[in-house]
Amino acid sequence: MRRAMRWVLMGAAVLLSPAVGALTPSARADPPVPGPSSAPADPVPAVGRAWPVGVRPSVLRGWEPPATVYGAGHRGVDLAAPAGSAVRAVAAGRVSFAGRVAGRGVVAVELAGTDLRTTYEPVTAAVRKGDVVVAGGVVGTVQAGGSHCGPATCVHWGLLRGGIYLDPLSLLPPWLLARGPSRLLPVPPGQPPPGLRP
């Protein structure tokens, strides 16, 4: 009797093992979605020659790279701009898209001599796909609606290399990122300039 019971238990174990295996995590599970690569990316050349809006607009929200490919983050920079303001190409290039996406006007420009493209939204386009633009050239105007900046209106400015989002501020050289104009200070008579003092 014991021998028969042992065979019944062994048979049940053989029959149930696939079901139990399906309920428990296995080493053959799908791999997790990869996050941003730890390998150094190609640097972004500072080819920008103009801000997309204004002279030195307020950054309402900066670039916040997501922890994973599909994770939360902010894939661009929001710049304060009143509705109707001119939106300019930050660098020379060719318009690769000018139209609507999810109800918002979008303009994308492939930057000359690079593998980068910039995006601007919400924008009423003043250009068409294929147009060549110069740095500082107007590509459209800020739309009154469609901004995700709450009660304020803004332009969401993005930068991509392929399908990877990058910080658009990295396109701007230091002289464009400066907070204000340089000022010369008076030097009292008989004293060397500040940079030459011992």
Side-chain angles (χ1 to χ4, degrees):
M1 179 73 169
R2 255 185 209 191
R3 193 171 200 193
M5 187 64 136
R6 189 178 306 161
W7 282 106
V8 169
L9 290 174
M10 284 177 41
V14 168
L15 290 174
L16 290 175
S17 64
V20 171
L23 296 174
T24 59
S26 79
R28 295 176 290 148
D30 292 334
V33 175
S37 171
S38 59
D42 290 336
V44 173
V47 296
R49 296 295 171 255
W51 281 90
V53 290
V55 176
R56 176 62 173 93
S58 296
V59 176
L60 300 178
R61 186 174 177 193
W63 183 65
E64 300 164 13
T68 63
V69 175
Y70 301 108
H74 191 238
R75 294 163 173 84
V77 172
D78 291 337
L79 304 173
S85 300
V87 178
R88 295 179 170 80
V90 297
R94 182 177 300 277
V95 177
S96 59
F97 180 84
R100 298 187 74 72
V101 175
R104 294 185 187 139
V106 178
V107 172
V109 177
E110 294 175 349
L111 303 183
T114 73
D115 58 350
L116 303 168
R117 75 181 180 280
T118 56
T119 59
Y120 313 92
E121 67 173 277
V123 174
T124 301
V127 291
R128 292 184 304 211
K129 182 178 178 178
D131 287 353
V132 174
V133 294
V134 297
V138 175
V139 296
T141 56
V142 179
Q143 285 180 343
S147 167
H148 62 258
C149 293
T153 55
C154 69
V155 168
H156 179 82
W157 172 33
L159 174 66
L160 295 105
R161 175 178 280 132
I164 306 296
Y165 284 88
L166 304 168
D167 182 1
L169 291 175
S170 60
L171 281 174
L172 300 180
W175 61 269
L176 267 176
L177 290 170
R179 295 235 176 239
S182 298
R183 292 185 179 94
L184 298 176
L185 299 175
V187 177
Q191 290 191 9
L196 299 176
R197 289 184 183 156

